[in-house]
Structures are given as structure tokens and as C-alpha cells.
Amino acid sequence: MKRSSFQILLTFLLWFPFVLPIFSENREDIGERFVATKQFSYWIDRKSEVPVESVLNQGTFQKLNDEFANFGFLKGTLWLRLDPNDFPDSSKFPLLLIQAHNIDSVELYHKFDGESYIISKSGHEQPMFQREIPHRNFVFRLGHQKETILIAIKSDISLQFSLVFTNQRNLQREDYVTQWVYGLFFGSLGIIILYNLAIAFFVRDKSYFYYIGYVLFFGLGQLSLLGFWGYFFVPNSYYWKRVGIPVFFSICLFFFVLFTANFLKIKVRLPRTTRFYQLLGAFSIFNVCIALFGGISEASIGVSWLSVSICMTLFGILIWGLKKRIRSFYYISIAFFLLLLTCVIYGLLKFGILPSNSFLEEMLFPIASLADITLFAFALADRIQLLRQEKDLALAQVTSLRRERKISRDILMQSLPKTSPNVKNLQIQIYIQPMKDVGGDFYEYHSPNPFELGIVLCDVSGHGIPASLISAMGKVAFNTQKDSISSPKQVLEGMNRVLYGNCSPQYVTASYLYLNTSTKVWRFGRAGHPSAFLQRASGEIIKVHPKGKIIGVFPEIQIDETTFPVLPKDRILLLSDGVLECFDRKGNMFGDSGLIEFLKTNRELPNHLFKGKLIQELESFSNREIKDWEDDLTFIFLELV
């Protein structure tokens, strides 16, 4: 199987950092650079009060013991001294390179045919165009010095450096190699950002945007840490050179917290821990403010402590997730443990506890973080794959469920009476519209002779297949009560005895009507169902609402029944709650008032047009078609003639 271009890129990103030491080794062997850190001695003026003329007399200088000096967060001025007998061959090594990227002030003092010192300046305070040799490090031209040279260094940021004698040709060669290598590194970060940005706009997942923010500000932080930010982007801005590291890395930590919290769903899984974890993210933004308002040293220390605190908190979260065997924790855990190890080592380097060197200083975080970024990308890709699988599974389940519901609905609709009751001197309109796939409304009737009619209208709580099955049981329960057709009380109480214990946790509401067109008697009973409405020929509307509990919940229920004499042109309306609980766009309900107003307005409407007119009224009120409603809609309209 062929690999995708992105897979090839990720493979390259994983292997390319391990090639960097090769470039580093080759640079040491070309014979035109001499690491002279150990040739220098140092003294720290804690209060920065001693003038250069008195440094040699008052300072107690000590030899540097490492080729890469590490003074951590240093307060005061660091003085470096190089005696004439330690000078290298000036014809071979005319340049002194201070290999560090974040020093506020570097001043080189030397004497030439006189007693006063000549000063060469560099560092962030010095604009790039005013430096003797513009460079992302700090370079001084030597070769004519005959007496001891002194170097004064001040920095609010952790101070690590090496001192290298070299020449112009070698400096250019090294710049070419390092810029090519770092170009690949930062170009790879740019590709990762653009690639994931495109995915983010398609999937609309916040984790991708947080991940992009993390990678972007990590890249800007690395630009600052390696000196490229000051050299290429803000060469003449002292302020932005100084704030780059604490600001960019603080924002990077902020997005890292957002990314991991959202990706691992910590807020849902560990709500208490989330508050502390998000508080650390908030402190990262506070640390940005400290840096922007001049607290460079404090903010730089804050970055180190925040890194450790965030990593330790995430460590506990990941241990919990791994114990729970949550898949989304696996990639993050691998990346995190690598990042944790890196942060610990980096913190120890910054505080001077471990000896450092130029390769560790420059490449520790890029190597580890690039591996992390790649693993995070794999984690996001794995998450998308899981979401796709879950979506496919859910779609298959929905399709299967819809098929089952359609079958159930077909069974329910076919079980309804195929014809309307045929009773003398009575016109009937019946309408039933189940909710989308399967509803819980049903009706059944019994007419033992041309003049008598018993009809029940039921509504099963809930919807779907369970409601359909209980509807079928309700029809059976009604058929067992045919001998009691003239008594709504006996019919509904008998149905309850049959259904009790067979429909839990659901229940049934019902209304039952008995009508004799010969004796002109109408009896009505209800079990938790909406009222019936009797509209006289004169236009008077009576809301009929006898007492009665729901069916299927209690062993025995008491049903009241109401008897009314009826005359020709009287109308009776039975309905389910779907008619009354119709809502408009503002949340207003159709209700009894809307129905009564409709009956009054359409009193003279012919019986055969009533059904269509009521449906039209409900659709107009709700501004939706009936087929899109969330509830079943059923009503039975009777008119004596």
C-alpha cells in the first residue's frame, strides 16, 4: 500500500531531528573554529556597580570549567576575562563568537596603544544594523588586541553560552548549514499548521484549532530561542527581542492546556481536576502580561515553573486515563512522557543543575517537541478515524432502527380499522397521523347494530416500537370489553385490569364514547385523556371533562361517565393531546381556546370538510406541515343528522 504524502512527511519529521547531531559534529571538525570557553575566567558583580577600570583589581576571577557555560537566571553583571597568553592565532581566528541568542547586553572592552578601554557593543539593546557584525548570535572582530580583554554580559533571561574563535568563511559556512536545517524545521512546522488548519475548517473540531495555536506559538518561541526572531523579524526592536521567549512560550502553554483538556474531555471526566488545570492555563496568559509589562526575568522563570506544573498535572490525568484504558489517552501519553522528560531536563539546564552544551541548548526542545507535535497529529488523525467509525456505526444503527420502525408503523396502521363505522343518522370523520416513523395513538370501535357505536381513542406514552406494541395490547384489551359497550366506566376500568402490569414503565390515556342514534343518548368517559367537546346545533360548546385516572399504572381505577341527550346537527369531537399541544413560533399553544374558537368559526362547515379545515388551521398556526410534528395527531369528529 502506498503511503500518503502526509505520512511520508511525518516519517521524515520523526527521523530528521536525529540527523542534526551529524551536522553539529561536522561543524566541530572543519578546523576553522576553536571553542575557547575554558580559556576564559569569570567574576560576577552582583550589584553591577564596579566600573570597568576597577574590574581587574576588585574582581576575583575563576576559570570556566565547561565548554558551554550555564549561569541560569543571573542577577547582576557577568564579567569574562581572557589573558593575552590565551589569545589564539589572530590570523586564523579573527572573530569571537558568543554562541547565545538571548542576551540583553554584551560589551567587549580592550585596550590598544593607550590606557582607556575601547568598547564594542552587541546584545538585544543594540540594533542589528549598529552591530559590528550582524548575526543571530553575538560576534566581535579581534586580532589586534595586546592586553587582557573583558566582556560584560547582562541578561534577564536564563544565561547559557559558549565562546568560540572562528573566521568569516567558517561563520558563513555554519550559517548556511544551520539556516538550511532550521529552514526545514520551521518549514515543516508551517506545513503541519496549514495541513491541520484545512482539516479544522472541515471537521469543525476545536481540538484542531487549539493544536494549531500550540504549534504556531511553539514555532515562534523557537524562533526567539534560536535568535531568528530578533535577526529576521525585529532586528531593531529591543523590546520585542526581549519579550519573545516568555510571551510566545507562555501562549504556547496556554494552547497546550486547551488542546489536551478538550481532546481528552477532562471537563466531563475529571471536573475537579479541570479547574486546577485550566487555572494553570490562565496563569500562562497572566505570565504573558508580566512579560509585556517588563518583567522579563520573572516571566521567564514563570515559563519554567508553569511548564513543570502543567506537565505534572497532566501526568496524573494521563495515569488515570491509562488505568481506565481510554484510547484517546494513548498517543497523548507517549507524547507527554517525552515532553515531560524534556521539560525536566530543560528546567535543570536552565537552573544550572545539569551541565549544558550548544547542541542541547539549541536542539533539545525542537527535537522533543517536533516528535510531540507529530504524535499529537497522529492522535488527532486517530480521533477523526474513531469519529468516522462511530458515525458509520450510528448511521447503520439508525438505518436499522428506521427499518424496524417502518415495519412497526406498517403493522400499526394495518391494525387500525379499515373502514369507518356505519351508523344510521351519523356522519364520522377520523384522522390519525403518527409521529414520523411510529406513533402511540390508536382507535378502535364496536358497532353491534346500525344504531349503536362504541369507540375508544387511546394515546400510549412515548413513541416508537414500545408504544406500537402497547397499542396492539390496548386493542386486544378493548375487544375483551365488547359486552359492556354501553358503559364507558366498565370499558375503561376493564381495559385497565387487562393492561395493568403489562405496559410498565409506560401508560395509556383513553377516552371512550358510546352513542345510540335511536335513543339519542351519548355517554362519555375518560382515563387521563383530553376532554371531549359537544357543540350543539345552536352553536353552544360544552367541554366534557369527567374524572378518570390513566390506564396501566394502578390495579384498579375509578372512571366517571357523563351522559348527554343529543339531537340532530349536534357535533362531538374526540381528540388526542397532539391537537391541543400545537405551538407556534413564539411558543404559544393552540390549546382549548384555539380549538373552541375554531369550532365557533366553522359551525356551519359541512362535515366532510371538517377534517381538512382543522389540519389546515393547525399547520397555519404552527407554520409547519403535520408530517413534521413531534407528536401524534388524532381526532374523531361526529355529527348527528
Side-chain angles (χ1 to χ4, degrees), residues 191-253:
I191 292 173
I192 290 174
I193 290 172
L194 293 175
Y195 180 84
N196 285 280
L197 186 62
I199 296 177
F201 279 109
F202 279 107
V203 301
R204 301 292 180 180
D205 188 337
K206 288 190 292 187
S207 294
Y208 271 95
F209 292 103
Y210 296 150
Y211 171 74
I212 291 167
Y214 164 65
V215 177
L216 173 62
F217 284 97
F218 166 76
L220 291 174
Q222 287 297 323
L223 282 172
S224 296
L225 188 66
L226 298 171
F228 294 109
W229 171 253
Y231 184 71
F232 288 109
F233 297 96
V234 287
N236 302 316
S237 174
Y238 171 54
Y239 175 80
W240 286 109
K241 288 175 189 173
R242 297 181 75 229
V243 303
I245 289 179
V247 166
F248 293 143
F249 278 119
S250 294
I251 300 176
C252 173
L253 290 174

Side-chain angles (χ1 to χ4, degrees), residues 28-45:
E28 303 290 341
D29 292 339
I30 58 180
E32 297 185 10
R33 71 190 324 261
F34 169 55
V35 180
T37 310
K38 293 182 179 181
Q39 309 296 344
F40 283 78
S41 55
Y42 74 95
W43 172 65
I44 300 174
D45 179 6

Side-chain angles (χ1 to χ4, degrees), residues 90 93-98 108-110 118-122 131-134 138-145 149 164-169 171-172:
S90 60
F93 302 108
L95 301 180
L96 174 61
L97 169 67
I98 301 179
L108 186 144
Y109 297 87
H110 63 91
I118 299 173
I119 307 174
S120 298
K121 295 184 178 181
S122 189
R131 297 182 187 178
E132 187 176 6
I133 299 179
F138 311 103
V139 185
F140 297 94
R141 192 177 301 279
L142 301 176
H144 53 270
Q145 285 75 10
I149 64 172
V164 180
F165 285 100
T166 185
N167 57 46
Q168 188 71 37
R169 182 176 62 179
L171 188 65
Q172 291 175 347

